[in-house]
Amino acid sequence: MAKRKRYSTAPVHDIDLSTVPIPSPLYSDICPSPLKRRASQRTRARQRLAPVSTNPDENPEVLDGPEALRASPDAGERDERMALEKVGSVAGTQVKEKDDEVPSLLNGDDSSSSLSEISEGMPPLRRKPAVARAKKPTEVQTVKATTRAKEHNIIPAAKVKTEVMKEPLFLDPEAEGDEEADEEEIQAALSRPPPVNSNYLPLPWKGRLGYACLCTYLRFSNPPVFSSRTCRIASILENRHPLKDPDQPPHATKNRPDRDQPASIARGQAYVESIGLANAADIVKMLRWNDRYGIKFLRLSSEMFPFASHEEYGYKLAPFASEVLAEAGRVAAELGHRLTTHPGQFTQLGSPRQQVIDNAVRDLEYHTELLSLLKLPAQQNRDAVMILHLGGVFGDKAATLDRFRENYARLPQGTKDRLVLENDDVSWSVHDLLPLCEELNIPMVLDFHHHNIIFDPEQAREGTKDIMDVYPRILATWKRKNITPKMHYSEPTPAAITGRQRRKHSPRVATLPPCPPDMDLMIEAKDKEQAVFELMRTFKLPGYDTFNDMIPHVRKDDNKPVKLPKKKTPRKTAKKVKDDKDELEAAEEPVDAEEDPVQAVIPDLQVGMGGPEGRVYWPPTMEDWLRPVKKVIKKKDPEDSQRLTPAKKRMAATKNAQSAIKLEGDMEKNASITSSDGHPMSSKGSTSVAKGNSQKASYNRKAIKSVPTTSTSDTDASKNISEFEGHEIMPLKATKITPARKSARAKKVNYVEGEE
């Protein structure tokens, strides 16, 4: 019998970037059952390199990095994150919310930094109610927390109490969490002097606009493209064990690691490295996507390689990631793309805690290695900087600055060459950091949004006008190192009133800041690349005519999985074989190969690129356009079941008509089929005769008047009928009796006996 042909719906020359092969368990760790048939050597080699899915829609262990979903790393509010659950991705329910960790000192948490540990000990997918999760600190923990807070001067001494506090009364940069504004704070915010903004617009625009970490359109393509996949530490530990069935590829539910078998650190390391390789490989697609739509500036996600800077589970990127990062750097150099990074807010060199300092140094070394492995050209390599916040004040700004100077001096020279400081919206203003940057030869990033919240009222007013006077000093910090300057811009939400509320980033921005027209401007917004598109459309910036609106819930640039149609099985018919020769010929006849349906395949380079019309823009608050329409199953109303639909009415009318016809036929049968003495026949006899009377017959329905007489034939007939009771009697066919042809010569015969 001929073999079936195999068809592939994907080109063979491209590799799926959403899956990266990792080595499977060694032979020494596998104890195959003797009852199972051993696979061939080629099959085992193929199964040993079975790919592990890095698609969060398929593998629930792969999560979205929480920092990449934010408008910026220092944005901790849920409103500033990409709403994955609204778009329809399960990953939104898996990401651990830092707000739920309750890391403040008042809850008894002894660590003020969650660097590289944000995913450890994640809660299950099904979240418990907040009341069930909340745990009141004990009296000892409360006294300890308030004592430490008093030592670091985090809150005023007058507010330090030994009783349990429901809400923190301070803003610790090392611990997230905000309280709602009270009436006094709102009144103070409303009475503040109005901002003084400049009317200057940097037009015509000659600089580069960029966004941070995540492209929303590519994130929800098929397969998804993004560089912020992460996982839990529990997943790394679990994947140290071999699979339950080593002969089969890994599966999220059917073939998971077997914890009863011995663990291997190398196996768990290969798992976490596969996630990092998938992230790094997707950078190339993101760069080409940006270049098509006029975007030349991208901030790389710090979560590209999960737990790379962890104290226990950390690892070096070379040599396993050298090749894939070098390819990303080659594409960035080819397209003239600028790449930067922004370590999180817990990377602080001015903290009084040595553990925080050690974590920060490891994190900075990880970012330095990441940017160095890109192998960028000289100028682009200098422009690949790391933006850092100074961190908390810890009660004394001067002492914090001294600790920063001391720890900065210990950093490697490669890290110093890339380090850049940025003013924040909690503690450090532009006028606080600028002297330090000029002293240590560190470039300074101006964030306009942060400046409108934290500024020195004696030297500048709120707004963009007064800060323009400091431009020469800020730009000079960049020129000393021959690095291209960059600035950050974002806007608060319209409903924000107080300083804490104004920290929230708006999903998009409405205008351009008064920066130099050739500036590299990073737009920090929740909608990522869509905020850049909004500015392009508003001011007709270069690239505004390269994209168009999306068709809601429709994407024509993805390779959807092929759905095979259901094959109709023909009814089996008996084949007549005349002799043995015909039977042998039928067996030797070749069978035609069944061809599988082949869908028009979009090349991998064009997948997720928006198609020829460039439909990649979605209006504000319409991120659900990125996914197909959700099927909503309406609950049945009990009243609806009692209402008769037109179909039900037709069915009821048909049943009524059938029952009426049946009743009328039964009445006719009972009236016409009776015994000779006027009594009806038995039920079995009546049913059998009724079948014969159902057909149209040409019987004469006139009753023949005769005198009933008993005879032997009647008794014999009754016996015969009793023998066939219980059996179905075939109805008699009605035949038309034609009269016989009479002959003219025929004589009339008188059968009447003559009288003797």
Side-chain angles (χ1 to χ4, degrees):
M1 189 173 180
K3 294 184 179 179
R4 296 184 60 182
K5 298 180 181 178
R6 295 183 180 179
Y7 292 87
S8 176
T9 59
V12 297
H13 58 277
D14 293 327
I15 300 176
D16 186 6
L17 300 182
S18 63
T19 58
V20 179
I22 64 172
S24 106
L26 301 176
Y27 283 102
S28 59
D29 299 333
I30 302 174
C31 297
S33 174
L35 300 178
K36 292 184 179 181
R37 180 180 178 182
R38 289 180 175 271
S40 64
Q41 185 175 1
R42 180 180 300 178
T43 304
R44 284 186 175 274
R46 183 173 61 253
Q47 292 168 349
R48 191 180 300 114
L49 299 176
V52 175
S53 176
T54 56
N55 186 347
D57 297 337
E58 299 175 355
N59 189 354
E61 294 184 358
V62 179
L63 312 176
D64 277 82
E67 291 188 3
L69 299 174
R70 300 174 176 178
S72 67
D74 52 2
E77 300 295 334
R78 295 185 181 182
D79 297 342
E80 299 175 86
R81 302 175 185 175
M82 183 67 188
L84 293 181
E85 60 277 2
K86 181 178 180 181
V87 181
S89 175
V90 295
T93 60
Q94 297 174 347
V95 175
K96 184 177 182 181
E97 304 289 350
K98 286 189 178 181
D99 298 338
D100 299 334
E101 294 180 13
V102 195
S104 85
L105 300 176
L106 298 178
N107 285 341
D109 188 3
D110 195 38
S111 95
S112 60
S113 175
S114 59
L115 177 66
S116 302
E117 300 175 1
I118 57 175
S119 300
E120 185 174 4
M122 283 191 170
L125 298 182
R126 187 174 180 180
R127 302 172 65 88
K128 298 180 181 180
V131 178
R133 289 200 313 271
K135 293 183 179 180
K136 293 184 178 180
T138 61
E139 184 177 357
V140 177
Q141 292 175 339
T142 305
V143 174
K144 180 180 178 181
T146 51
T147 304
R148 289 185 58 206
K150 183 177 179 181
E151 292 176 357
H152 295 294
N153 198 18
I154 298 177
I155 56 177
K159 294 185 179 181
V160 177
K161 299 180 181 180
T162 57
E163 61 183 10
V164 177
M165 298 182 182
K166 296 182 179 180
E167 295 180 353
L169 300 178
F170 60 90
L171 275 177
D172 185 7
E174 294 186 356
E176 294 186 3
D178 258 345
E179 64 174 354
E180 295 183 359
D182 54 11
E183 186 176 356
E184 296 181 0
E185 188 177 2
I186 294 176
Q187 292 297 330
L190 292 175
S191 61
R192 75 179 191 276
V196 182
N197 295 314
S198 173
N199 295 327
Y200 171 75
L201 287 176
L203 299 176
W205 180 254
K206 301 178 182 178
R208 293 179 286 192
L209 295 177
Y211 62 93
C213 305
L214 181 76
C215 177
T216 63
Y217 187 86
L218 288 178
R219 168 59 184 85
F220 298 103
S221 62
N222 186 22
V225 177
F226 64 113
S227 60
S228 54
R229 300 173 183 85
T230 186
C231 64
R232 303 180 179 93
I233 289 182
S235 299
I236 301 176
L237 299 178
E238 183 180 11
N239 280 273
R240 289 180 175 181
H241 301 273
L243 298 175
K244 291 183 178 179
D245 189 354
D247 295 336
Q248 299 296 330
H251 192 273
T253 57
K254 299 179 181 179
N255 194 20
R256 296 185 61 84
D258 188 1
R259 296 186 179 182
D260 296 335
Q261 299 187 28
S264 172
I265 298 178
R267 192 180 293 111
Q269 183 64 26
Y271 169 78
V272 69
E273 288 178 0
S274 66
I275 299 177
L277 291 176
N279 289 333
D282 281 352
I283 298 177
V284 175
K285 187 61 171 289
M286 297 174 65
L287 294 177
R288 296 195 182 280
W289 193 94
N290 291 343
D291 183 72
R292 176 179 177 180
Y293 298 107
I295 301 176
K296 299 284 188 178
F297 189 12
L298 177 66
R299 176 187 297 168
L300 298 178
S301 173
S302 298
E303 300 162 310
M304 186 180 304
F305 293 92
F307 305 103
S309 62
H310 196 275
E311 182 179 6
E312 181 179 355
Y313 304 102
Y315 49 91
K316 294 294 183 180
L317 305 184
F320 80 94
S322 300
E323 184 177 354
V324 65
L325 289 175
E327 176 63 17
R330 185 190 65 80
V331 176
E334 173 189 347
L335 303 177
H337 218 93
R338 183 175 187 177
L339 301 176
T340 61
T341 59
H342 194 329
Q345 59 179 329
F346 299 111
T347 304
Q348 303 183 25
L349 293 176
S351 175
R353 298 184 59 198
Q354 187 60 39
Q355 181 183 0
V356 177
I357 299 299
D358 296 340
N359 293 341
V361 172
R362 287 197 311 272
D363 195 48
L364 292 176
E365 291 177 352
Y366 152 67
H367 285 84
T368 302
E369 184 183 13
L370 171 63
L371 296 174
S372 300
L373 290 177
L374 294 174
K375 304 297 181 182
L376 296 169
Q379 185 59 46
Q380 286 181 290
N381 186 46
R382 286 192 295 269
D383 294 344
V385 295
M386 301 182 299
I387 296 91
L388 187 68
H389 290 291
L390 193 59
V393 176
F394 308 105
D396 189 350
K397 281 190 174 182
T400 302
L401 291 175
D402 291 339
R403 287 192 296 269
F404 178 85
R405 293 186 183 95
E406 180 181 357
N407 295 321
Y408 176 79
R410 300 175 182 176
L411 295 177
Q413 186 61 39
T415 303
K416 292 181 181 179
D417 294 339
R418 300 185 185 275
L419 192 62
V420 174
L421 291 180
E422 176 192 359
N423 60 307
D424 58 57
D425 54 0
V426 178
S427 304
W428 301 95
S429 66
V430 174
H431 294 87
D432 292 331
L433 294 183
L434 190 55
L436 179 67
C437 292
E438 293 173 340
E439 174 189 351
L440 300 178
N441 194 19
I442 301 175
M444 178 184 170
V445 174
L446 171 62
D447 191 305
F448 290 92
H449 175 62
H450 295 168
H451 167 70
N452 290 332
I453 300 174
I454 298 296
F455 58 92
D456 188 354
E458 297 180 358
Q459 303 188 47
R461 294 171 293 181
E462 179 184 348
T464 59
K465 185 175 180 58
D466 292 353
I467 199 63
M468 295 178 66
D469 299 335
V470 197
Y471 279 3
R473 295 177 58 188
I474 294 176
L475 297 178
T477 59
W478 296 88
K479 294 180 180 179
R480 291 175 185 174
K481 289 189 172 182
N482 195 19
I483 303 176
T484 304
K486 67 185 295 285
M487 294 182 178
H488 295 175
Y489 184 71
S490 55
E491 295 175 356
T493 56
I497 299 177
T498 65
R500 298 180 184 181
Q501 293 174 350
R502 287 188 293 130
R503 293 178 61 194
K504 298 181 181 180
H505 294 65
S506 177
R508 304 190 185 187
V509 295
T511 186
L512 287 169
C515 61
D518 58 346
M519 180 63 61
D520 287 351
L521 188 63
M522 176 62 62
I523 305 300
E524 295 183 330
K526 183 190 70 173
D527 289 350
K528 306 297 182 176
E529 82 287 350
Q530 301 297 322
V532 177
F533 287 162
E534 204 73 38
L535 284 176
M536 288 181 175
R537 282 193 167 182
T538 303
F539 298 101
K540 299 295 187 294
L541 302 182
Y544 79 97
D545 55 348
T546 59
F547 57 89
N548 293 292
D549 292 4
M550 290 181 58
I551 301 176
H553 312 289
V554 176
R555 302 184 65 154
K556 298 182 179 180
D557 56 353
D558 286 347
N559 284 324
K560 298 180 180 179
V562 178
K563 293 183 179 180
L564 299 177
K566 296 182 179 179
K567 297 181 180 179
K568 296 182 179 179
T569 56
R571 296 181 179 178
K572 296 182 179 180
T573 58
K575 295 183 179 180
K576 297 181 180 180
V577 182
K578 295 182 179 180
D579 50 13
D580 298 341
K581 184 177 180 180
D582 295 340
E583 185 176 359
L584 293 175
E585 291 178 356
E588 295 176 357
E589 185 179 359
V591 180
D592 296 336
E594 298 179 0
E595 296 185 359
D596 296 335
V598 179
Q599 182 182 358
V601 177
I602 301 175
D604 287 351
L605 296 178
Q606 300 299 327
V607 172
M609 299 299 288
E613 298 177 348
R615 294 186 175 273
V616 295
Y617 172 84
W618 48 272
T621 69
M622 293 298 170
E623 55 263 36
D624 56 337
W625 284 15
L626 297 169
R627 284 287 194 181
V629 181
K630 298 180 181 179
K631 294 182 179 179
V632 180
I633 302 176
K634 296 182 180 180
K635 295 182 179 180
K636 294 183 179 180
D637 191 356
E639 297 181 358
D640 295 342
S641 60
Q642 300 177 359
R643 299 173 184 174
L644 292 178
T645 61
K648 292 181 179 180
K649 291 180 180 179
R650 288 192 296 268
M651 293 176 62
T654 304
K655 290 181 179 179
N656 293 336
Q658 292 177 353
S659 60
I661 294 172
K662 184 178 181 181
L663 180 61
E664 184 179 356
D666 293 343
M667 293 175 64
E668 292 180 358
K669 296 169 187 177
N670 294 333
S672 60
I673 304 173
T674 55
S675 62
S676 58
D677 56 354
H679 297 284
M681 296 176 62
S682 62
S683 59
K684 297 178 182 179
S686 63
T687 55
S688 61
V689 177
K691 294 181 181 179
N693 293 334
S694 63
Q695 302 177 358
K696 294 183 179 180
S698 60
Y699 289 115
N700 188 1
R701 296 182 179 274
K702 294 182 179 180
I704 303 173
K705 296 181 179 180
S706 61
V707 179
T709 58
T710 58
S711 63
T712 58
S713 61
D714 294 334
T715 57
D716 296 336
S718 62
K719 292 179 181 180
N720 295 334
I721 292 174
S722 62
E723 292 177 1
F724 286 99
E725 285 186 0
H727 300 278
E728 184 177 359
I729 302 176
M730 298 299 294
L732 298 175
K733 295 184 179 180
T735 58
K736 185 176 182 180
I737 303 174
T738 58
R741 183 176 179 180
K742 293 182 180 181
S743 176
R745 298 180 180 180
K747 295 181 180 181
K748 295 181 180 179
V749 180
N750 188 5
Y751 291 96
V752 179
E753 297 179 358
E755 296 179 357
E756 295 181 353

